[in-house]
Amino acid sequence: MSLNDHGKVEARFAVYVDGLSSVIGHARRTRQLRDYCTGLVLPGERKSVEPMAARTAPERTAAQHQSLLHFVGLATWSDEDVLAKVREMVLPAIEKDGPIEAWIIDDTAFPKQGKHSVGVHHQYCGQLGKQANCQVAVSLSIANHAASLPVAYRLYLPQDWTKDRARRKKAGVPKEIKFKTKPEIALEQIHWACEAGLPRGVALMDTAYGRDSRLREGMTELGVTYVAGILPDTLMWRPGTGPRRMDKPLNNTGRRDEPDLISAKEVALGLPKRAWRTVTWREGSADQLSSRFARVRVRVGYNKLIPEKLSPEWLLIEWPEGEKEPTKYCLSTLPEDVNFQRLVDFAKLRWRIERDYQELKQEVGLGHYEGRGWRGFHHHATLCIAAYGFLVAEQATIPPSGPRSAASVKAPCLPDGYRPRGSPLAA
């Protein structure tokens, strides 16, 4: 946000960093914390350690570089404690516009060269839209319609990494870190959020997570309601039907043993015209966002399902005008009496995590860390989330008619001719 009174912004930033300092450990880390967070919120092409050192201490760049490297890559402060403090300080600003409504599960990828950066592997990279060498981190964010904030963040470690003792040791991967799938990490984060007493929200997840029946089942056991993207071939019983065998868990033979099971796509294509309606969910950048939807109560079949525990849930289908077939499918355990528009609104609230990652990467340099170790990867992400939390809190101070851009903290002058590594100008 571009505020006229830079002094007030810097005063609030100082108070915010003081709050973080209370959980960072040694007093000598306070300056390193302040400088690192300052480097993240200042304008700049790169938010890796070297250019941030030059921006925050232009007269002693080399010493500052070593200090910040040690602070982010080696110092043993707790990511969990810092993120908890960020949540404590930022949550009141988010809730000024209403209570927390959603817990958003997602992941983000960082393209990488080579094979030494912790967790790097040839896998799907959302940033590139294809398989590529990258790191992937799973996160959980709390959100309402006004703002959102990541509260948990963990690197996904592929099986090749978990089995490679030499690479694990070199990257400093803790011994207790074992292989977990991304949905397993997500469920672990949801379980933590429940235990931590975070304000409850409806869990929102895209198809990569929603298709995992164990994740959905785990949420139900925890009492967490969800809206989850699924694939069109997900099997289910249409209204009025259900499992024929009630004496043992469902196995993976699917329709052979349960002929009434049909795919979500078959359910959608069999709905009458009157089932479809146009729903508007929010204002877009140019116009109101709307599409055509249908919803129906179904019972979902999956491997190891215990029929006696089967409960109906909503199948929400989106079929935009002009498309040859439905484009999106969601399952939801929201109550049977939930308003149609409310159901659609929750399904579409996942856009907030896209905004989070866009601003975390573009504004505060989430993907700019150049170290290779486990601790540094997570420390940098924690500090990026802390910096982002300050920007979120600052946005809450601006009237609705004011500009909605990032806070402005005054930058010191850089040395003449300075070019950060990674900059095209330094090539």
Side-chain angles (χ1 to χ4, degrees), residues 121 157-165 167-168 179:
H121 190 68
L157 202 65
Q159 279 187 307
D160 286 353
W161 267 88
T162 58
K163 296 176 181 178
D164 192 329
R165 293 184 179 180
R167 280 206 297 177
R168 285 180 63 114
F179 174 73

Side-chain angles (χ1 to χ4, degrees), residues 52-356:
M52 289 199 299
R55 291 188 194 101
T56 55
E59 302 305 322
R60 52 180 192 87
T61 299
Q64 179 77 330
H65 185 205
Q66 291 302 313
S67 176
L68 296 184
L69 275 177
H70 182 274
F71 174 68
V72 73
L74 299 175
T76 57
W77 49 270
S78 166
D79 293 296
E80 291 76 14
D81 289 350
V82 173
L83 289 175
K85 192 65 179 180
V86 171
R87 190 170 71 246
E88 175 190 323
M89 294 189 291
V90 178
L91 187 57
I94 295 176
E95 292 184 320
K96 282 176 63 177
D97 290 297
I100 294 301
E101 299 173 276
W103 289 358
I104 307 177
I105 295 166
D106 208 351
D107 59 56
T108 191
F110 309 97
K112 289 286 182 180
Q113 301 296 324
K115 62 179 183 179
H116 300 293
S117 293
V118 62
V120 71
H121 190 68
H122 193 77
Q123 56 194 318
Y124 180 76
C125 178
Q127 184 173 324
L128 301 178
K130 62 180 182 180
Q131 295 283 323
N133 232 37
C134 65
Q135 296 166 301
V136 177
V138 180
S139 68
L140 173 66
S141 293
I142 54 176
N144 58 21
H145 280 71
S148 53
L149 178 74
V151 294
Y153 187 91
R154 211 204 90 171
L155 177 69
Y156 164 69
L157 202 65
Q159 279 187 307
D160 286 353
W161 267 88
T162 58
K163 296 176 181 178
D164 192 329
R165 293 184 179 180
R167 280 206 297 177
R168 285 180 63 114
K169 183 177 180 180
K170 191 171 183 180
V173 178
K175 291 182 179 180
E176 65 271 17
I177 298 298
K178 309 298 181 185
F179 174 73
K180 290 183 184 296
T181 66
K182 286 174 240 182
E184 285 173 340
I185 295 172
L187 184 57
E188 194 174 74
Q189 291 175 339
I190 290 287
H191 196 279
W192 162 82
C194 292
E195 288 189 338
L198 267 63
R200 281 295 179 110
V202 177
L204 309 180
M205 44 192 165
D206 65 11
T207 306
Y209 292 88
R211 64 189 293 183
D212 192 300
S213 61
R214 291 166 296 183
L215 175 55
R216 300 197 311 268
E217 184 182 17
M219 288 184 181
T220 298
E221 290 177 355
L222 290 169
V224 177
T225 304
Y226 60 74
V227 178
I230 59 167
L231 294 172
D233 61 359
T234 302
L235 295 178
M236 56 192 62
W237 290 275
R238 71 176 86 218
T241 66
R244 297 186 180 187
R245 299 183 308 157
M246 303 297 287
D247 58 334
K248 58 183 178 180
L250 195 70
N251 59 32
N252 60 6
T253 55
R255 297 192 219 193
R256 188 175 70 200
D257 292 333
E258 291 288 347
D260 292 331
L261 279 171
I262 61 174
S263 70
K265 184 176 181 178
E266 289 175 288
V267 173
L269 296 179
L271 293 173
K273 289 185 178 180
R274 66 177 181 274
W276 300 91
R277 57 179 286 190
T278 299
V279 179
T280 300
W281 60 90
R282 70 177 174 89
E283 290 282 345
S285 57
D287 202 353
Q288 288 188 325
L289 300 178
S290 64
S291 188
R292 196 172 63 137
F293 298 87
R295 64 173 181 168
V296 62
R297 300 288 279 176
V298 298
R299 290 173 170 84
V300 183
Y302 54 87
N303 194 26
K304 298 183 181 179
L305 166 71
I306 299 174
E308 289 78 2
K309 292 186 176 181
L310 187 64
S311 298
E313 53 192 295
W314 285 112
L315 171 65
L316 178 68
I317 311 138
E318 181 177 358
W319 191 343
E321 291 284 355
E323 294 289 341
K324 293 181 179 180
E325 60 184 37
T327 56
K328 292 182 180 179
Y329 301 81
C330 289
L331 289 172
S332 176
T333 51
L334 282 166
E336 186 174 359
D337 62 356
V338 66
N339 178 276
F340 199 158
Q341 184 167 358
R342 182 70 168 157
L343 177 59
V344 172
D345 187 55
F346 271 118
K348 293 298 184 178
L349 189 55
R350 274 199 69 260
W351 74 272
R352 291 232 58 102
I353 192 66
E354 305 298 335
R355 175 70 62 83
D356 275 349

Side-chain angles (χ1 to χ4, degrees), residues 16-79:
Y16 182 80
V17 173
D18 282 346
L20 298 178
S21 298
S22 67
V23 296
I24 205 69
H26 300 298
R28 66 174 180 272
R29 293 180 185 156
T30 299
R31 180 169 181 172
Q32 296 168 322
L33 170 67
R34 182 201 66 200
D35 289 349
Y36 205 97
C37 289
T38 299
L40 293 173
V41 299
L42 287 176
E45 180 187 348
R46 292 287 298 173
K47 302 294 178 73
S48 53
V49 176
E50 184 185 15
M52 289 199 299
R55 291 188 194 101
T56 55
E59 302 305 322
R60 52 180 192 87
T61 299
Q64 179 77 330
H65 185 205
Q66 291 302 313
S67 176
L68 296 184
L69 275 177
H70 182 274
F71 174 68
V72 73
L74 299 175
T76 57
W77 49 270
S78 166
D79 293 296

